Structures are given as structure tokens and as C-alpha cells.
Amino acid sequence: MADQIPLYPVRSAAAAAAASQRRAAYYSAAGPGPGADRRGRYQLEDESAHLDEMPLMMSEEGFENDESDYHTLPRARLTRRKRGLEWFVCGGWKFLCTSCCDWLINVCQRKKELKARTVWLGCPEKCEEKHPRNSIKNQKYNVFTFIPGGFVLAVTIAREAIDEFRRFQRDKEMNSQLYSKLTVRGKVQVKSSDIQVGDLIIVEKNQRIPSDMVFLRTSEKAGSCFIRTDQLDGETDWKLKVAVSCTQRLPALGDLFSISAYVYAQKPQLDIHSFEGTFTREDSDPPIHESLSIENTLWASTIVASGTVIGVVIYTGKETRSVMNTSNPKNKVGLLDLELNQLTKALFLALVVLSVVMVTLQGFAGPWYRNLFRFLLLFSYIIPISLRVNLDMGKAAYGWMIMKDENIPGTVVRTSTIPEELGRLVYLLTDKTGTLTQNEMVFKRLHLGTVSYGTDTMDEIQSHVFNSYLQVALVRWTESVGLTLVSRDLASMQLKTPSGQVLTYCILQMFPFTSESKRMGIIVRDESTAEITFYMKGADVAMSTIVQYNDWLEEECGNMAREGLRTLVVAKRTLTEEQYQDFESRYSQAKLSIHDRTLKVAAVVESLEREMELLCLTGVEDQLQADVRPTLEMLRNAGIKIWMLTGDKLETATCIAKSSHLVSRTQDIHIFRPVTNRGEAHLELNAFRRKHDCALVISGDSLEVCLRYYEHELVELACQCPAVVCCRCSPTQKAHIVTLLRQHTRKRTCAIGDGGNDVSMIQAADCGIGIEGKEGKQASLAADFSITQFRHIGRLLMVHGRNSYKRSAALGQFVMHRGLIISTMQAVFSSVFYFASVPLYQGFLMVGYATIYTMFPVFSLVLDQDVKPEMAILYPELYKDLTKGRSLSFKTFLIWVLISIYQGGILMYGALVLFEAEFVHVVAISFTALILTELLMVALTIRTWHWLMVVAEFLSLGCYVASLAFLNEYFGIGRVSFGAFLDVAFITTVTFLWKVSAITVVSCLPLYVLKYLKRKLSPPSYSKLSS
């Protein structure tokens, strides 16, 4: 793929060599001592930078054979250290200034250092340091942000204040949730935001866990509970959590205060899949020490799925895992606003230049600087001050239209500043679980090696739909065929056969699923036969090397995967009593290890995973949301590239990518092999580079390694893929990918998700969309737009995004035209009268011109549309034109500038030429022609008429005619005190009417002719559809 793209590392060889020289010079100058040792360490690190000089298209053999070349970098030259005044003059002063500035910046931006902590049970006052409040804060501003900056900005400030107040209300709702806190005097109710480190909190079933806690007790007899983590990691399977055995064994709940115990917890960190700590009870002899791991924790934003739990709070507020994995909300500014800002800067430059030219043509006579400021004020209407107000009102109108659209019910606009972004998107980054899928499983196929059962050959397998994870779907299906799970706890389980016999099994060991092993297992003893059996199930890629040789597993896995099914391989191994006892002793030893505990435990378990007997292969379909396939097809036809970012397994993500047609059936898929270092990433990128037109599937770990060394190259290659799937992504990785796309491509990105793990991604994107579904409201509340189903995104982008962008582009340019044309008339007027800095119109007329005379027709452009909504959805290819930004560009801006200069010149010169005899009425004449021209220009710009547009045109015209009759003192030349009043009888004469009409026709008719010719000779893409 894209052979023309050279793959270079992030750091150039020259830069690396220069850095090595600087370090060598510094540490050698330090003389003997610690500095010398440090120099050796840096030297070893930088010698590996020889990789930078290697071409990335090296073969694997070459890469292996050239290891000796890594240590051939030239030594850095050692320089003599300058001292005293010589050092200060030769650059030391720069060093001192830079150091002082860096010190000031560090002092201002210094963050609180995160530390490990000792937490006393039920005694928050014993905490040695202050911890953050356990409150959620999604607000972007504080009170001081909304101090008004001026009348023109009042609308913008009010809109932002309303949005911020809504965010405040949502946060207040979450922070006000009540929880039971266990104290010496019993249970008390406490708000979520008032929970402190060290509190003992009781959480009921189906209640959200408010802060990070260590699991102490549960109402379940087994001493364990299940929690739902879909809001945290996107996975829908329930996680088993185990209470600390020392506290679980206590007779009563109140006994937690009769013991002296504390928890040592590691410092707060991002990783949601690991935890290291210890539980210590001091009042026993000897003291009890119990190691804590991830299975003893209850992270915030997860849901208790079974029983009632009691935990001790160890992290609160911004130190919780969920908040640390959430990026801070940023103030989003639309691309259209940035483009209009650039055009406004150009207009300001034109204002200054025009004023200087007028003063220059005066010959700098008299107090020229005073005249310069007068001209700056006279031509200040070049700057479209009312543009901000018009656009903000337009954005509010677009948001109202979106929320009132009956075709996308339940849609909410939470950020009203960026509706135009919906019409400029190039990349759509979507979550999988709950966004593309419904979290519903249907058991589809069972293969036993010699025979395969499907929905068409086995009556019992009939659409068993369950709203939970895969294991429940399988258990429910076994019940339907006669094998019932009677009971299950941590120590035993009972099964009932079709004949009514109850089989009892003692659970000896359990091995939970991990992303590294991709499998889970259990060792049970049959109570009736005392037979010990090790059962294991997992992904086919993990199980294929564990099971005994067979000739059907790989083929059947491929067949099911092509059907979009999630496959699961089940195997077993019978153990003797001696084999199990040997395993148990080694397993217990590994679990007590302080260092590398995880690796040692995994190694012991792997010793059992050999020559297992293959039992069966199952296929389960994860139900897609309604109309996902046609929606994705529509987005692709619109030129939007779709990336799927999920925390789920690689195999599951690949299956969903195929079944949703994110990746077409005929399209090749390149699965990026796991890489752990720079060399492996180097080789795998070469392999990927040779592929053409294939979808990319990459895991989060491999992505992290590649971005560390070859960030630019990976993003460049991935952007050329028709689809990209990133699996096993953490919330921060999702946000990082979005940020990389924005920085490298400079295109507009949109992120859509439904869980708490998608919040960072949603906030990092230019436009964030949340789905309010089974995973809760967290993503919906943090997003810019909230929808109820994924398929609604099609209409949201194709119709509302398109209309918002094109309407705002027309509105913005017309407001600028309105200021340019009157400034042109002022310039012509001043030029005719020897460059005098005299205003043409009085203040009331200038205010009326921008408000009651033209505001309604101009603002009615927010109702305009080039094609009907049905056509925009039927032909999504029309959306591609929007991403090119042709509706608002420097080209269209210059066209409007030329139109303004032409019309302003015609109106002013026409008024002066035709009304030379009645020169006292030149204000009424030119202003009347100006108003008529503006109304006709609005009509020229409109593509589809709305009845409100007609009302706005006639309302504005009526207001102007009334002001001619009743406010005639403002239409005279000079001051009212001079007696220059408008003769009402004069404006009713035929002469006045035909001459005003003539000037207006000359200013507008050529533009109508040009528009007609352009539509005939070079029609826009939508014209054929609208006709």
C-alpha cells in the first residue's frame, strides 16, 4: 500500500546524533563523579538510535544480521567548559533567562504529586494528606468566564452560559445521588460528592459505584459478587469480584469498627486492569497481611450486578480510574467559525489600508492622525460586528430544527456552537459494543467435530436472545436442551440432567479471562466419582495450539467467522489427584510472590494447558443495531472514512466489522501482528506497507509501540485504508487516536459511542455524538449531540449537517457583503467631496440598516436548502462537496467583495448623477436603492423559498416605507438643525420612483444574468436532483 510513502522514524539520525553530542559534552564537562556514570547510561541509550539510519524496507534477515551495526555511532566530541565572564557573554545569559522562565512556568503549572496512601477503615480524619472531593465536574467554565465583554457578545455569552448551566445541572444530578455510609453509630445517608477516602460505603444491587473502593464484604454467602464494567471498559461480560477474606469472615457488619485495620494502596494510575495493595489487620497476633489485586477492587462508574457490597474508599474524584481515563473537556470551535475569523482579519486589514489611503490622498493635511481615526470609524462597518450575533442565532435555530425532527426522535443538541461541523466530517470513529451492536446474543451454531448443528437442523436452537454476555447465552441454551444449572457459587455448582439426576461438582480453581491469555478455565471435582477435570474455553487463536491435533477446527472457525459469528472453543483435560496436588502447591506459591506475580501465575497455569481434548466449537451472533449496514454504506458513499475503536477482543471486533459490512466480504484484512519493540514494529510496518486496499486490524498494545517510534508513518498508512479496526483500546488510547487523526490529516473528525469509556474519545473529536442506550447516559451527557440509535447519524449528517453548513456559509458571507456595500458607498461619497471625513448616513439609519431594514430577510437564509432531505439521503455523494469547503472560501469571499464594490459604486454614483438637481435628497435616494438592492440580493441567494422568507421580505420593506414617512428628519443631508428635512411629497413622484428603480436594476440585473448563465453552463451537483 502506498509504496511512494517513505517510512522514517519519529526522530531523525541527525537530531539523535546532535542530542548525543550535547549530552556527552555536558557530562564530560562535569568532571569525575556522578556525572560520568550518567554519561555512560545516556550513551548506551542513544547508541540504539542507529535504527534511525536504517531504511524501513529492510528484510527480516538483514534486520537480524545487522545487530552489530547498532554500536557504530561516532563518539561525541568533548568540548572545554567556559567559565566566569566568558561563559556569561558567550551564551550563559540566555541559559539563565531560560532557566528562570522555565522555573516560573513550573511553579505556575505545578501539579499535585500522586502518592501511595494508607487508608484507615472508617476513619477519614486519620488521612495524613488532603484528597480531592468525590464530585464529578464536566463544566468547562467558571463564574468569571461569563462577565460580559460587550453588547455584541451578549448573545454568544448567553448561549454558552445556557449550555454550561445544563452541564452543571447534569453534574449536580450525579453528585447528589445518595449512598449509605457505615459509621460507628450505624448507617447514614451521604451525597456522592461528600464521600471521602477512608469512608465505608454500602452499594446496593444495580447501583453505581461512586468512587474507587477495596471490596470488604458482601451479602452473598460465597463472598463474591458480579459487577458490570461496560461504562468503564466497554465489555459487556460481568466481572467477578472477591471480598477481602479477613473482613468477609467477620460475624457482623458492625465488627468492621471493632478491628484495627488499614489498606495500603498504590498511587493513582490509568491502568484499569491492574492493582497492587495490601490489607493489614494490626489487632491480631500475629498481624494479618493479605495481598490485594484487581479482583478485590470496585472501580467507580461500574454497576453492582449481584448482592450488596461494602467497600472502603481509596480514590475519589479526579484520582479515580474512570476520571483519570477521561480527558478534560475542551471548548470546541467549528471550522466555519475559524474560517470566518480569518476573513474578518482580512476585512480589518482592508479597513486600515482604506483609511490610510484616504488620508494619503488628503495629502496628510492638518491633523492627519485625527482624520485617520475618523476614517477608521466611518469605514468600521467593513468589520461585520453583527456577524457573531447572526451566526449564534442561526446555530440556535439549527439546534431547534434537529431536536424537532420527527425522523430522529430523542435527538438532543448539547453543544449549540458547532452544528456546522456535522457537514464537514471526513473521519468517523465509532465504538462497537452498544453503538454498532445491541448487546444481544443469538446462539446460532454448534459443531462437535463429526456433526454440525444450526438453526435449520436443530429445533432447540431457536433465537435465544439475551441481554448479557456470551456465557449466559450458552447456559440458557443448555437449559433449553435439558441440562439445567441448579446452583452456583465460588465453591460448588449443581447441574440437573434431562433424566432428573442432580450432578454436584466441587470447584477447585478458577482462571478468569485475560486479554493476554484470551481464554478462561476451571478445575472441578465430580462429587460422585471424585474425578478431577480441567475445562477451558477461549478464542480459536488461543485454543488451537492447546488442543490435540484435529483436522476440522481451523476450517470450521473460518466458516463461522465468514458468517460473522463469534466463535468459542471448548476443551477439557482429566487430572489425577497427584497431578492436581502438584499444580496446587506451585499455584499457591506463585500467588504469594511479591515480584512478577502475574507472570509466575500464568506460567503455572500454562503447564496444565497441554494436549487438551477438543469438545466442541460454538458460534454466537452479536445482534447489530437496526439499519447499521445501510447507514455505514451511506456514510462510505458520502466520503466518510470509518474507524472502529473498541476495548473488546480482536476476534470479536473482526467479526463485527465483517457482519456490519464495515469491511466488505471481498476485502482483504491485514491483522497487525503483536509487536513489543522498535525492531518488530519496523518489520511489521514493512509487511503492512506491501498490502494494497486492505482493512487494518490492530491491537492497542501494538498501536502504542508503533506510535512511539513510527507515529507519522503508521497514521499515513492507516489513513489510506478503506477501514481501520483498533481493538483492546483503553479510553485514553481512543482519545489519542482521535487527536492524532486531527493533527496529521487536518480533517474534521467525529467520535460516536455509548459508554463511559467513550467519553474521552467523544470530547477529543471535533464533533462528539453520544448514544443513550443500555450502557447508560455518561457518553450521551458528555457529547455535543445525543441520539438514540446509530442509524440516526445518517440523517443527522446528510440533512442537518449539510443544511447547517451551507446556510451558515451563505449567512456569514451575506452579512459581510452588507457591511462592505455601505462602506463602499461611504468611500465613494468621501472621494467625491475631496476626501472629507463626513458621514453619509446618520447613526439611526446605520443601526436600522443592520437591524429592522435587512435583519429578517438576511436571517431567513437559515431556512434555505438546495435539495430536499429525501434527496440528500438518497444521494449521499452530495456530502463529499461539503468537505472541500467550497461554500465558504477565499474565492467565494473575493467574489462577494467584488459584488459589494460594484453595487456600492453603482448605488452612490447613480444617486449623484441622476439626482444632481435634487442633491439635498441624495441620502433618501441612495439609501432607498441600497435597501431594495439588499432585499433583491437575498432573493437572488435563496435556492428554495419558504413562506417565512416572503413574510420577512415584505415586513422589512414595509418597515422602511413607514420610516420614510414618519422618520423623515433622518434622511436629510447634514444636521436636523439646519432644516434639511425630507420632502414626503417628493418620494411619491414618478421621477423618484423610476430613478431609484433604475439604479437598483443596474446594481442587481447583471448579477441575475451571471447567475443564470452559470447555472446553465456550469450547474452545481445538486441542480439536476432539485430539477
Side-chain angles (χ1 to χ4, degrees):
M1 179 187 296
D3 291 326
Q4 72 273 16
I5 298 176
L7 292 180
Y8 298 113
V10 173
R11 184 173 59 174
S12 67
S20 179
Q21 288 179 355
R22 287 195 297 271
R23 291 194 190 100
Y26 174 77
Y27 286 116
S28 63
D37 296 334
R38 287 198 296 269
R39 177 187 175 277
R41 179 167 62 86
Y42 276 102
Q43 178 183 339
L44 287 174
E45 288 179 2
D46 277 351
E47 283 176 349
S48 65
H50 181 61
L51 278 167
D52 296 336
E53 300 174 357
M54 296 171 54
L56 200 52
M57 284 303 295
M58 179 177 285
S59 65
E60 191 168 347
E61 293 79 6
F63 192 88
E64 292 172 351
N65 294 338
D66 285 359
E67 288 182 355
S68 60
D69 293 340
Y70 291 177
H71 306 284
T72 59
L73 284 180
R75 300 284 182 184
R77 294 182 180 179
L78 304 183
T79 58
R80 181 176 63 87
R81 182 177 179 180
K82 298 180 177 63
R83 299 182 181 275
L85 183 62
E86 181 185 3
W87 172 82
F88 186 84
V89 173
C90 295
W93 64 274
K94 291 184 180 178
F95 175 79
L96 288 176
C97 292
T98 305
S99 300
C100 291
C101 292
D102 291 342
W103 179 80
L104 286 172
I105 292 173
N106 289 333
V107 169
C108 295
Q109 297 182 346
R110 185 160 51 198
K111 295 182 178 180
K112 178 184 174 183
E113 182 182 356
L114 301 178
K115 298 178 181 178
R117 75 272 313 264
T118 298
V119 182
W120 291 87
L121 273 61
C123 303
E125 64 278 359
K126 286 190 177 183
C127 294
E128 298 176 356
E129 57 180 286
K130 290 187 66 177
H131 299 289
R133 293 182 69 239
N134 191 50
S135 59
I136 297 171
K137 185 176 180 181
N138 286 319
Q139 297 106 282
K140 297 188 290 185
Y141 306 110
N142 53 47
V143 177
F144 300 101
T145 310
F146 298 107
I147 297 175
F151 175 74
V152 177
L153 298 178
V155 175
T156 305
I157 293 174
R159 189 204 62 241
E160 285 286 348
I162 291 171
D163 287 348
E164 182 69 3
F165 180 70
R166 289 172 180 168
R167 282 189 287 268
F168 166 76
Q169 285 183 314
R170 295 196 296 268
D171 289 346
K172 185 178 179 181
E173 180 184 350
M174 296 291 286
N175 293 329
S176 299
Q177 289 182 358
L178 295 178
Y179 290 88
S180 295
K181 173 182 172 182
L182 194 63
T183 66
V184 178
R185 295 179 297 275
K187 298 179 183 178
V188 296
Q189 293 292 305
V190 61
K191 290 183 180 179
S192 174
S193 58
D194 295 332
I195 291 174
Q196 302 176 12
V197 171
D199 283 345
L200 298 179
I201 302 299
I202 302 172
V203 186
E204 305 290 343
K205 181 180 179 181
N206 292 326
Q207 198 173 16
R208 181 183 71 91
I209 295 174
S211 57
D212 288 355
M213 303 192 298
V214 167
F215 186 13
L216 298 180
R217 286 178 66 87
T218 177
S219 59
E220 300 288 300
K221 293 181 181 179
S224 63
C225 76
F226 284 98
I227 63 169
R228 300 200 301 269
T229 63
D230 44 24
Q231 286 287 326
L232 188 65
D233 57 15
E235 297 184 7
T236 55
D237 54 332
W238 294 359
K239 304 296 190 300
L240 180 68
K241 297 294 180 177
V242 181
V244 176
S245 59
C246 179
T247 51
Q248 179 66 27
R249 288 195 301 265
L250 294 174
L253 193 60
D255 292 338
L256 286 170
F257 289 96
S258 65
I259 64 173
S260 176
Y262 63 85
V263 170
Y264 173 80
Q266 64 182 154
K267 69 177 183 180
Q269 59 183 25
L270 290 170
D271 191 359
I272 60 177
H273 299 296
S274 68
F275 175 75
E276 292 180 4
T278 56
F279 176 90
T280 302
R281 180 175 176 180
E282 287 189 328
D283 58 351
S284 62
D285 190 19
I288 297 174
H289 299 282
E290 192 170 335
S291 64
L292 302 177
S293 63
I294 187 66
E295 67 179 6
N296 305 118
T297 59
L298 303 169
W299 295 145
S301 298
T302 58
I303 307 295
V304 177
S306 64
T308 300
V309 302
I310 298 94
V312 58
V313 177
I314 55 173
Y315 308 123
T316 53
K318 60 186 178 183
E319 291 181 348
T320 60
R321 291 294 202 271
S322 60
V323 175
M324 293 185 75
N325 277 280
T326 302
S327 59
N328 292 325
K330 62 187 181 71
N331 189 20
K332 296 184 179 181
V333 180
L335 181 59
L336 183 91
D337 294 317
L338 297 176
E339 292 169 343
L340 286 172
N341 287 345
Q342 295 298 322
L343 298 181
T344 304
K345 292 175 185 176
L347 290 174
F348 176 76
L349 182 62
L351 166 64
V352 175
V353 170
L354 181 59
S355 300
V356 171
V357 168
M358 298 298 283
V359 172
T360 304
L361 293 175
Q362 277 185 336
F364 293 97
W368 61 269
Y369 52 87
R370 185 184 302 168
N371 292 333
L372 175 63
F373 280 106
R374 294 190 69 180
F375 278 122
L376 286 172
L377 291 175
L378 286 177
F379 299 140
S380 62
Y381 280 86
I382 291 179
I383 306 298
I385 299 176
S386 62
L387 175 61
R388 187 76 268 156
V389 176
N390 278 276
L391 284 178
D392 287 342
M393 292 174 62
K395 293 173 190 287
Y398 306 146
W400 184 83
M401 293 175 191
I402 291 173
M403 290 191 285
K404 293 297 180 181
D405 190 342
E406 295 179 354
N407 294 292
I408 47 174
T411 302
V412 180
V413 178
R414 303 196 187 278
T415 304
S416 58
T417 56
I418 54 171
E420 300 91 357
E421 291 295 275
L422 296 171
R424 308 289 296 277
L425 303 177
V426 177
Y427 289 96
L428 176 68
L429 300 101
T430 175
D431 179 41
K432 177 189 72 68
T433 309
T435 303
L436 298 179
T437 66
Q438 302 180 34
N439 291 350
E440 294 183 351
M441 305 290 183
V442 177
F443 194 92
K444 286 288 187 180
R445 195 173 297 279
L446 174 66
H447 201 291
L448 300 176
T450 55
V451 62
S452 175
Y453 297 98
T455 53
D456 53 341
T457 58
M458 188 172 177
D459 295 337
E460 290 86 351
I461 308 177
Q462 291 293 335
S463 300
H464 295 279
V465 181
F466 310 103
N467 297 331
S468 67
Y469 58 108
L470 180 60
Q471 288 89 321
V472 176
L474 296 175
V475 170
R476 292 284 179 86
W477 175 78
T478 58
E479 181 184 14
S480 70
V481 294
L483 186 63
T484 307
L485 178 63
V486 178
S487 65
R488 166 74 158 84
D489 54 36
L490 286 178
S492 64
M493 71 168 69
Q494 287 185 324
L495 302 176
K496 186 177 182 180
T497 64
S499 62
Q501 181 184 3
V502 176
L503 305 177
T504 304
Y505 294 90
C506 177
I507 300 175
L508 303 178
Q509 299 288 348
M510 289 188 299
F511 313 110
F513 175 88
T514 65
S515 57
E516 292 78 19
S517 65
K518 296 183 175 62
R519 52 190 180 271
M520 62 191 302
I522 187 172
I523 299 178
V524 296
R525 176 188 280 119
D526 190 338
E527 293 290 347
S528 59
T529 63
E531 184 181 50
I532 300 175
T533 309
F534 172 36
Y535 290 98
M536 178 157 282
K537 62 183 177 67
D540 55 294
V541 292
M543 298 291 291
S544 58
T545 57
I546 295 174
V547 299
Q548 298 170 351
Y549 173 79
N550 61 85
D551 57 359
W552 60 271
L553 178 61
E554 183 178 354
E555 180 183 355
E556 283 303 318
C557 283
N559 293 337
M560 290 189 185
R562 281 186 285 275
E563 296 177 26
L565 302 181
R566 298 173 63 173
T567 56
L568 199 65
V569 179
V570 184
K572 75 169 186 176
R573 180 184 175 187
T574 303
L575 304 176
T576 64
E577 187 67 34
E578 293 75 17
Q579 285 176 323
Y580 174 71
Q581 293 300 331
D582 174 62
F583 164 79
E584 187 182 33
S585 64
R586 290 185 290 117
Y587 188 64
S588 299
Q589 259 186 339
K591 288 177 66 177
L592 292 174
S593 298
I594 299 176
H595 303 292
D596 299 326
R597 182 192 301 175
T598 305
L599 293 175
K600 291 177 181 177
V601 169
V604 174
V605 175
E606 285 177 6
S607 66
L608 284 184
E609 300 169 348
R610 295 172 184 169
E611 293 297 309
M612 299 189 71
E613 178 187 350
L614 177 60
L615 293 178
C616 66
L617 173 68
T618 63
V620 175
E621 182 181 14
D622 192 356
Q623 293 280 57
L624 295 174
Q625 283 206 20
D627 296 332
V628 162
R629 294 186 181 105
T631 302
L632 290 177
E633 185 69 24
M634 178 197 301
L635 296 175
R636 268 199 301 269
N637 291 337
I640 298 175
K641 294 185 177 181
I642 305 165
W643 290 30
M644 186 170 78
L645 312 181
T646 176
D648 219 329
K649 301 184 287 292
L650 184 144
E651 296 76 25
T652 308
T654 307
C655 283
I656 295 300
K658 291 178 179 177
S659 62
S660 65
H661 294 178
L662 176 66
V663 178
S664 63
R665 296 182 183 275
T666 59
Q667 206 166 56
D668 290 334
I669 297 179
H670 178 81
I671 297 179
F672 206 89
R673 290 189 303 175
V675 296
T676 56
N677 55 55
R678 185 174 184 173
E680 292 177 355
H682 183 282
L683 294 174
E684 190 60 23
L685 277 172
N686 280 337
F688 175 46
R689 187 168 178 259
R690 300 186 186 98
K691 299 293 182 71
H692 295 273
D693 191 37
C694 68
L696 172 65
V697 178
I698 186 171
S699 67
D701 295 337
S702 300
L703 181 71
E704 194 73 29
V705 175
C706 291
L707 292 179
R708 190 181 308 146
Y709 300 111
Y710 300 105
E711 177 182 292
H712 177 76
E713 291 73 19
L714 178 65
V715 176
E716 193 81 19
L717 290 172
C719 286
Q720 298 186 24
C721 295
V724 176
V725 177
C726 299
C727 55
R728 284 294 170 197
C729 280
S730 67
T732 48
Q733 276 183 323
K734 290 183 178 183
H736 186 46
I737 293 170
V738 174
T739 305
L740 281 177
L741 270 180
R742 293 178 57 221
Q743 293 174 347
H744 281 267
T745 65
R746 303 293 178 185
K747 305 292 185 183
R748 309 315 278 177
T749 59
C750 174
I752 179 171
D754 71 317
N757 60 318
D758 302 317
V759 170
S760 296
M761 172 177 72
I762 287 171
Q763 292 178 339
D766 296 299
C767 177
I769 300 177
I771 296 181
E772 187 174 321
K774 296 177 181 176
E775 291 194 10
K777 295 184 178 182
Q778 195 168 350
S780 168
L781 295 176
D784 305 306
F785 302 90
S786 173
I787 58 178
T788 56
Q789 296 183 48
F790 181 81
R791 62 189 175 125
H792 291 169
I793 195 175
R795 185 176 180 88
L796 189 64
L797 301 188
M798 299 302 116
V799 177
H800 295 287
R802 174 187 180 82
N803 288 339
S804 298
Y805 169 58
K806 295 187 80 71
R807 289 165 176 172
S808 286
L811 179 63
Q813 291 178 120
F814 206 94
V815 170
M816 287 188 286
H817 158 78
R818 189 172 63 184
L820 281 168
I821 188 172
I822 200 167
S823 297
T824 303
M825 295 175 68
Q826 176 67 58
V828 172
F829 178 78
S830 296
S831 301
V832 169
F833 292 98
Y834 305 101
F835 310 105
S837 52
V838 177
L840 173 59
Y841 303 121
Q842 294 190 44
F844 173 81
L845 292 184
M846 299 299 286
V847 173
Y849 171 68
T851 55
I852 58 173
Y853 297 152
T854 60
M855 181 180 69
F856 298 116
V858 171
F859 188 72
S860 69
L861 291 173
V862 301
L863 301 172
D864 191 23
Q865 61 182 28
D866 52 358
V867 294
K868 293 181 179 180
E870 297 77 16
M871 287 295 178
I873 293 175
L874 188 59
Y875 298 97
E877 291 80 7
L878 293 171
Y879 190 88
K880 289 182 181 179
D881 292 339
L882 307 182
T883 59
K884 299 173 183 176
R886 292 175 177 172
S887 297
L888 178 65
S889 62
F890 271 102
K891 178 183 176 181
T892 58
F893 171 69
L894 289 175
I895 291 174
W896 277 102
V897 169
L898 293 176
I899 290 173
S900 303
I901 293 173
Y902 165 76
Q903 290 184 326
I906 290 295
L907 292 174
M908 198 66 244
Y909 276 116
L912 293 174
V913 170
L914 293 181
F915 292 90
E916 189 172 355
E918 304 92 353
F919 189 72
V920 72
H921 301 306
V922 71
V923 171
I925 297 158
S926 59
F927 199 77
T928 303
L930 173 63
I931 297 299
L932 292 176
T933 298
E934 284 297 291
L935 297 180
L936 289 174
M937 285 300 294
V938 171
L940 175 67
T941 306
I942 291 173
R943 287 159 293 199
T944 305
W945 282 89
H946 189 279
W947 66 270
L948 285 175
M949 295 176 174
V950 179
V951 171
E953 291 270 332
F954 283 103
L955 179 62
S956 296
L957 185 60
C959 289
Y960 178 69
V961 172
S963 64
L964 278 176
F966 299 106
L967 300 173
N968 53 31
E969 65 271 18
Y970 292 101
F971 289 89
I973 292 292
R975 298 183 183 274
V976 177
S977 59
F978 292 165
F981 291 96
L982 176 66
D983 185 1
V984 178
F986 168 71
I987 64 173
T988 58
T989 62
V990 176
T991 304
F992 174 83
L993 295 176
W994 81 259
K995 289 185 176 181
V996 168
S997 301
I999 295 174
T1000 306
V1001 168
V1002 173
S1003 68
C1004 294
L1005 184 61
L1007 300 179
Y1008 273 86
V1009 174
L1010 289 175
K1011 180 181 179 180
Y1012 175 79
L1013 292 176
K1014 183 181 178 182
R1015 287 183 65 90
K1016 285 294 182 182
L1017 300 177
S1018 179
S1021 57
Y1022 61 82
S1023 60
K1024 296 179 182 178
L1025 301 179
S1026 57
S1027 61

